[in-house]
Amino acid sequence: MNAMMRRAVIGTAAVSMALTMAACGKAGGDKAAGASASASTGGKSIGLLLPENATTRYEQLDKPLIEAKVKAACADCTVDYANAAGSAATQAQQVSTMITKGVNVLIVDAVDSAAIKTSIQAAVDKGIKVIAYDRLAQGPVSAYVSYDNEKVGELQGQALLDALGAKATPAANIVMINGDDADPNAAMFKAGAHKILDGKVKIAYEQSGLWKDTVANQKVTAAITQIGAPNIAAVYSANDGMAGGVATALKGAGISNIPVTGQDAELAGLQRILAGTQTSTVYKAPKPEAEAVASLAVDLLNGKDISTTASASSTSGSGNKVPSVLLTPVSVTKANMASTVIADTLYPTANICTADFAAACAAAGIK
């Protein structure tokens, strides 16, 4: 990473939070099926619907960061939260609940970007402004906040090639485990990765891992059977969660020291990078994304123009042109972990450098 990129990432992600993060409720049970207990019944209210809780970022990072930024920007605003726990049907019901409660603005990270279209239209018909968060939902959304997702795939592909070095040849067999086809980001990650990898290596096996470590494990196990353990040069995994399942499958087959990609800079993923069972991840700093969507939500609630903030444009699967905020992702390896996620204090260093990883942290310059 060059100095300019490093300063941009650290500067953006290190913006101080105005208030202490609100308490983070667990998803599942009643809160996964409907809105949280701190529900608003109108007034200045913002609905927040996140897609699942298998990926740790949503409950531990996105939710409290959004809540805190909303409260900092609008002291008398409330945030009404629900998590769909991976169910598009549950999320559709949650939108209906938010409509009934009369939220003013609805932030939606869609489980299924196409399936949510009808629900978004229903919310808009009731005068609710809808913001697509992280994934570009179909339908008449007012704004979209995410990272440049094709760039994410490009970074993953390049990190894989860099890790292969001289072994990156058209004969090198690559196993490719993509994300859930219902997630529009997965298609962009895939497109970006193919842009970098095609013609330089051989994609010998490619399947969707559905964002689940268990599914990714099954797919890689099948690939090993099909291709043969000695013949696999690297594994492209679209995120860190699936990379955990990939690493387990590789270990079980006696395969070591091959590149494995990831995404999201999850704690377990960073530790695998330190241990050498994963090569890279992609850091999409959660704070600037969460704070951007919170600020847009408050602006829309107050009837402010967002054209200066959401200055980019994206086209959804339904053909809607959507004002967008698109942030820049960063590739993370062992070599630059100290200057990126560690410098940004994404996690307490002590949580990463536990006893099992202390020596690896020291070797990577992490104190």
Side-chain angles (χ1 to χ4, degrees):
M1 180 187 298
N2 60 38
M4 184 176 294
M5 175 65 79
R6 175 182 171 185
R7 287 193 298 269
V9 173
I10 295 174
T12 303
V15 176
S16 61
M17 189 179 301
L19 295 178
T20 302
M21 293 191 299
C24 178
K26 297 278 187 179
D30 293 339
K31 290 187 182 181
S36 65
S38 59
S40 169
T41 56
K44 289 187 175 182
S45 56
I46 295 170
L48 173 60
L49 300 182
L50 297 181
E52 45 97 348
N53 51 12
T55 304
T56 57
R57 58 165 285 192
Y58 294 115
E59 294 285 320
Q60 296 180 12
L61 298 170
D62 297 74
K63 175 184 180 286
L65 286 167
I66 291 170
E67 289 176 333
K69 184 62 177 179
V70 167
K71 183 58 65 174
C74 179
D76 56 346
C77 287
T78 59
V79 176
D80 198 342
Y81 171 69
N83 189 302
S87 168
T90 295
Q91 192 166 67
Q93 181 56 53
Q94 289 169 346
V95 174
S96 296
T97 299
M98 294 292 181
I99 293 172
T100 300
K101 291 183 175 183
V103 299
N104 305 109
V105 177
L106 184 59
I107 300 168
V108 179
D109 192 339
V111 174
D112 186 317
S113 63
I116 199 70
K117 179 182 176 181
T118 301
S119 296
I120 288 175
Q121 184 65 63
V124 171
D125 288 345
K126 293 295 185 180
I128 299 170
K129 300 288 186 181
V130 180
I131 304 175
Y133 180 61
D134 203 54
R135 302 169 180 173
L136 182 50
Q138 295 187 24
V141 299
S142 295
Y144 169 52
V145 177
S146 189
Y147 276 80
D148 183 337
N149 293 305
E150 188 162 321
K151 181 66 174 177
V152 169
E154 292 175 10
L155 291 174
Q156 291 172 316
Q158 190 59 54
L160 187 148
L161 293 180
D162 291 346
L164 279 172
K167 295 179 181 179
T169 70
N173 290 316
I174 306 302
V175 174
M176 197 164 185
I177 307 298
N178 299 309
D180 191 341
D181 292 334
D183 178 351
N185 289 1
M188 289 185 273
F189 303 148
K190 177 180 174 180
H194 272 287
K195 183 187 296 186
I196 300 299
L197 297 174
D198 289 354
K200 297 183 179 69
V201 291
K202 178 183 177 182
I203 308 301
Y205 181 97
E206 183 172 7
Q207 293 284 325
S208 168
L210 297 176
W211 300 133
K212 295 181 179 180
D213 58 348
T214 52
V215 176
N217 181 287
Q218 293 166 1
K219 299 296 184 182
V220 171
T221 299
I224 292 168
T225 300
Q226 178 178 310
I227 301 168
N231 301 319
I232 296 175
V235 179
Y236 167 90
S237 171
N239 81 346
D240 290 345
M242 294 191 304
V246 170
T248 300
L250 294 177
K251 181 178 180 180
I255 302 172
S256 61
N257 299 318
I258 68 169
V260 176
T261 67
Q263 180 189 178
D264 292 327
E266 289 193 353
L267 177 59
L270 297 175
Q271 290 177 328
R272 284 193 297 272
I273 291 172
L274 290 168
T277 56
Q278 185 174 323
T279 311
S280 65
T281 187
V282 176
Y283 179 36
K284 301 179 299 181
K287 191 170 184 178
E289 186 181 18
E291 293 193 340
V293 79
S295 296
L296 279 177
V298 172
D299 286 347
L300 286 172
L301 187 152
N302 290 323
K304 293 183 178 179
D305 178 40
I306 63 168
S307 59
T308 300
T309 304
S311 56
S313 180
S314 303
T315 303
S316 71
S318 54
N320 296 77
K321 301 286 187 181
V322 184
S324 305
V325 176
L326 300 178
L327 303 168
T328 302
V330 175
S331 182
V332 174
T333 65
K334 188 184 297 186
N336 72 344
M337 189 182 296
S339 64
T340 54
V341 294
I342 300 299
D344 289 353
T345 62
L346 179 63
Y347 307 102
T349 303
N351 289 8
I352 300 172
C353 300
T354 59
D356 290 341
F357 301 97
C361 282
I366 299 170
K367 300 178 181 179

